[in-house]
Amino acid sequence: MAKPNQVLLNEDILVGADLPAWFARGGGEGLAKALREPAAVISEIEQADLRGMGGAGFATHRKWAPVAAAPEGDKYVICNGNEDEPGTFKDRFLLEHTPHQVIEGALIAAVATRANHVVLYINPHQTRALAIVREAVGQWHGHERFKAIETLLGGPLSLVVVPSSGLYIGGEETAVIATVEGGFPFPRRKPPFPAEQGVRGAPTVVNNTETLAHLPGILRNGASWYRDLGLGSASGTKLFSLSGDVLRPGLYELPMGTSLQELVFDHGAGMLQGKEFKAVFTGGPSNTLLTRSDLDVPLDFDSVRQRRSRLGTGAMIVVSEGTSIVRKVAEYVNFFAQGSCGQCPPCKGGTFQLARVLNRIDTGGGVHSDLESLANLCRLLPGSGRCGLIDGAVTVVESSLHHFSHEYEALLMG
């Protein structure tokens, strides 16, 4: 079993809102390096191959570069801590236990892009995280390194906490921007992308909490150090939220590229007594299911994508034999239906229809034509919304039909 490289969960740096303790343990050194060589930060992040940890794994330096290149004026860096997807609980841990690491990462992003606004966007349902981050932010105001950033920018730096709407859809990056502006979290069509027109039309970077938390270590220790933490061609480490039918659920920081087999059976101690592995919902419930034949897959963005799924947030919801896939999928599609903002009729109506048919099948009232209805909806609905909510709902239904059609058939009447 590979030994985890604990860059984010190292007990020595889990100091809560205590800024002096964070600095005493080497915190702030990454920011200091960024201030000495601001023009080199994006190159360092590119060499480290840091990817976005909140969804599709988009290259971080590619998000930053157009904002850095934009003319002087208002620019924003937003830490997206909305985290509201089933099975995902990594961001709240970071915000509660090492908030200064996250804040320092956001400040490094501000230095690299010359952004004069930094927003910590936190789910208000996570009351402890929200309180701790507010306390931590207050300790940065007036600090000498905060003042050094203002000197570099040639003007004041705004560092604020903004509670999110608390809605699932509020985590989509354009919905984040709408909320920061004071509006309802309606996703917007792209393009224009946030790097071009974000908060109040200003260039904006939106990064996941975990993405930002990696930055202090990369700047402090260098890109090659970070790359070497991963396995194979993957770079760095990843937080995995392991839940479901395993003996030891929890939050695990492992080298990027660790196999699904190792995560579930070594770190997670295997299945509950008397249970056998059946499948796993990866990156939360909005991606293609991985099954027993996929246990060898390295858990990195590219390898999981080759299995036609996504690593996403790193949530791994393990399902055992004897657990109804139909029921799990119905639960998750109900979640998506309730989470739809209603702005796009095909999404609102489509998720409702998917949920209605799935619930009918799950409760024993389904007929064979319901499978045809599900297949038709899965063919017609993708791409019909402004964000990825409807696509996620379709993906999990389509995947379950592909791998577990026999379970659907067994529940039908007649």
Side-chain angles (χ1 to χ4, degrees):
M1 179 170 66
K3 182 180 179 181
N5 295 283
Q6 293 193 323
V7 179
L8 303 177
L9 303 184
N10 188 325
E11 290 184 6
D12 192 47
I13 63 172
L14 303 181
V15 296
D18 189 340
L19 186 57
W22 169 243
F23 284 132
R25 289 159 172 77
E29 292 182 14
L31 177 58
K33 182 178 178 182
L35 286 165
R36 290 193 301 271
E37 303 175 76
V41 174
I42 292 180
S43 176
E44 189 82 24
I45 299 306
E46 180 179 6
Q47 292 173 43
D49 192 25
L50 177 64
R51 312 274 285 270
M53 301 292 181
F58 190 75
T60 301
H61 74 276
R62 292 180 60 190
K63 267 195 172 184
W64 290 12
V67 178
E72 296 297 322
D74 283 337
K75 300 182 187 182
Y76 287 78
V77 168
I78 302 177
C79 168
N80 187 355
N82 186 63
E83 191 172 65
D84 192 47
E85 190 165 23
T88 305
F89 43 86
K90 64 185 180 66
D91 291 349
R92 72 191 72 178
F93 184 95
L94 293 173
L95 293 169
E96 290 178 6
H97 296 280
T98 183
H100 292 298
Q101 186 165 2
V102 177
I103 295 169
E104 182 178 342
L107 294 175
I108 289 170
V111 168
T113 59
R114 300 189 72 85
N116 59 338
H117 297 275
V118 175
V119 178
L120 285 302
Y121 178 82
I122 312 296
N123 191 321
H125 300 311
Q126 299 171 15
T127 55
R128 185 165 183 263
L130 186 60
I132 289 173
V133 171
R134 280 176 167 154
E135 182 182 352
V137 163
Q139 295 179 32
W140 279 91
H141 290 136
H143 192 276
E144 60 182 21
R145 294 191 186 176
F146 191 84
K147 293 178 180 177
I149 301 173
E150 294 183 317
T151 299
L152 175 72
L153 296 175
L157 171 65
S158 169
L159 174 63
V160 299
V161 177
V162 174
S164 77
S165 63
L167 302 174
Y168 170 69
I169 197 64
E172 193 277 335
E173 65 177 2
T174 61
V176 170
I177 289 167
T179 307
V180 170
E181 292 175 338
F184 190 83
F186 280 135
R188 303 171 181 175
R189 293 197 182 278
K190 294 182 284 191
F193 294 95
E196 303 163 319
Q197 292 182 34
V199 179
R200 299 178 183 89
T204 300
V205 168
V206 182
N207 280 140
N208 175 256
T209 299
E210 185 187 351
T211 308
L212 295 173
H214 281 281
L215 293 170
I218 294 173
L219 268 291
R220 179 183 180 184
N221 300 302
S224 60
W225 164 83
Y226 184 76
R227 290 185 69 94
D228 288 345
L229 294 175
L231 302 177
S233 60
S235 296
T237 65
K238 181 79 185 78
L239 294 180
F240 294 99
S241 304
L242 181 64
S243 64
D245 299 335
V246 291
L247 280 169
R248 197 161 58 207
L251 185 63
Y252 295 92
E253 181 179 10
L254 301 172
M256 187 76 84
T258 297
S259 72
L260 178 59
Q261 170 87 28
E262 180 179 325
L263 173 63
V264 173
F265 289 93
D266 293 341
H267 302 286
M271 305 301 295
L272 294 174
Q273 189 171 5
K275 301 289 186 179
E276 293 185 14
F277 180 90
K278 181 177 187 177
V280 59
F281 293 88
T282 65
S286 59
N287 298 305
T288 298
L289 281 158
L290 297 181
T291 61
R292 192 174 298 153
S293 64
D294 297 304
L295 282 169
D296 64 327
V297 67
L299 295 175
D300 62 69
F301 293 107
D302 297 331
S303 298
V304 175
R305 188 176 292 115
Q306 288 171 9
R307 303 292 174 101
R308 303 183 71 179
S309 189
R310 294 194 308 168
L311 188 61
T313 62
M316 298 287 158
I317 307 170
V318 179
V319 179
S320 63
E321 294 288 354
T323 299
S324 170
I325 287 291
V326 179
R327 178 159 301 171
K328 296 294 288 187
V329 171
E331 290 172 358
Y332 294 143
V333 173
N334 282 331
F335 171 82
F336 289 127
Q338 292 168 17
S340 175
C341 69
Q343 184 179 201
C344 305
C347 173
K348 187 64 177 177
T351 53
F352 173 79
Q353 283 294 98
L354 285 170
R356 186 175 67 86
V357 175
L358 286 164
N359 289 329
R360 184 164 62 233
I361 294 173
D362 178 49
T363 55
V367 294
H368 284 277
S369 61
D370 285 332
L371 297 185
E372 185 178 349
S373 296
L374 289 177
N376 287 335
L377 287 167
C378 288
R379 187 177 66 254
L380 295 171
L381 291 174
S384 61
R386 292 189 176 188
C387 70
L389 187 146
I390 186 61
D391 295 346
V394 165
T395 296
V396 72
V397 173
E398 203 167 38
S399 174
S400 66
L401 285 169
H402 174 73
H403 289 295
F404 300 101
S405 60
H406 60 284
E407 291 198 19
Y408 283 88
E409 293 279 358
L411 291 170
L412 298 177
M413 296 174 62

